[in-house]
Amino acid sequence: MIYLMIVAMALVVFFNRYLFIEPRLPVRLNRGTREFLGFAVPGMLTAICGPIIFIKDHQLNLSPSNPYLLAGICAVGLMLWTRSVLVTVLSSMALFYLLRWWL
């Protein structure tokens, strides 16, 4: 039953994306809708990463010994400095594991 649900959800996601990717289908979005959908990915990433970074044991954790917070701040700084996603991801992951081991 679980495998059936996984396959069904994969098909739903695939066909949902396929409608906008296939050039022969007559689905066209206006400019306002495309700009609105441009905020979906940052909003989703914030909703996923925010609680992981800032909350521990159902309480706000802004202490300097929080490796998630320190690595997140460094990741933002690296992204602004290098403008390279690969360098930022690899460096911030290495820094996170180092901080997690050290702290």
Side-chain angles (χ1 to χ4, degrees):
M1 183 67 180
I2 293 175
Y3 291 118
L4 179 64
M5 288 293 287
I6 291 172
V7 169
M9 291 306 296
L11 288 173
V12 167
V13 170
F14 172 76
F15 286 115
N16 185 18
R17 305 289 187 232
Y18 183 74
L19 289 175
F20 296 109
I21 294 173
E22 177 59 43
R24 293 178 295 202
L25 291 176
V27 177
R28 300 288 179 256
L29 299 175
N30 63 15
R31 183 175 166 243
T33 304
R34 284 194 310 265
E35 287 180 6
F36 177 73
L37 289 175
F39 293 106
V41 174
M44 181 183 63
L45 288 174
T46 303
I48 292 171
C49 296
I52 294 170
I53 293 173
F54 296 112
I55 296 175
K56 182 178 182 182
D57 297 329
H58 300 289
Q59 292 185 353
L60 187 64
N61 184 10
L62 298 176
S63 71
S65 64
N66 182 357
Y68 295 95
L69 181 62
L70 295 175
I73 291 170
C74 290
V76 169
L78 276 169
M79 191 65 209
L80 293 172
W81 183 49
T82 64
R83 303 282 185 194
S84 171
V85 175
L86 182 61
V87 170
T88 301
V89 168
L90 294 177
S91 301
S92 61
M93 281 177 53
L95 180 66
F96 169 73
Y97 285 116
L98 180 71
L99 287 170
R100 195 166 164 193
W101 171 76
W102 186 52
L103 298 175

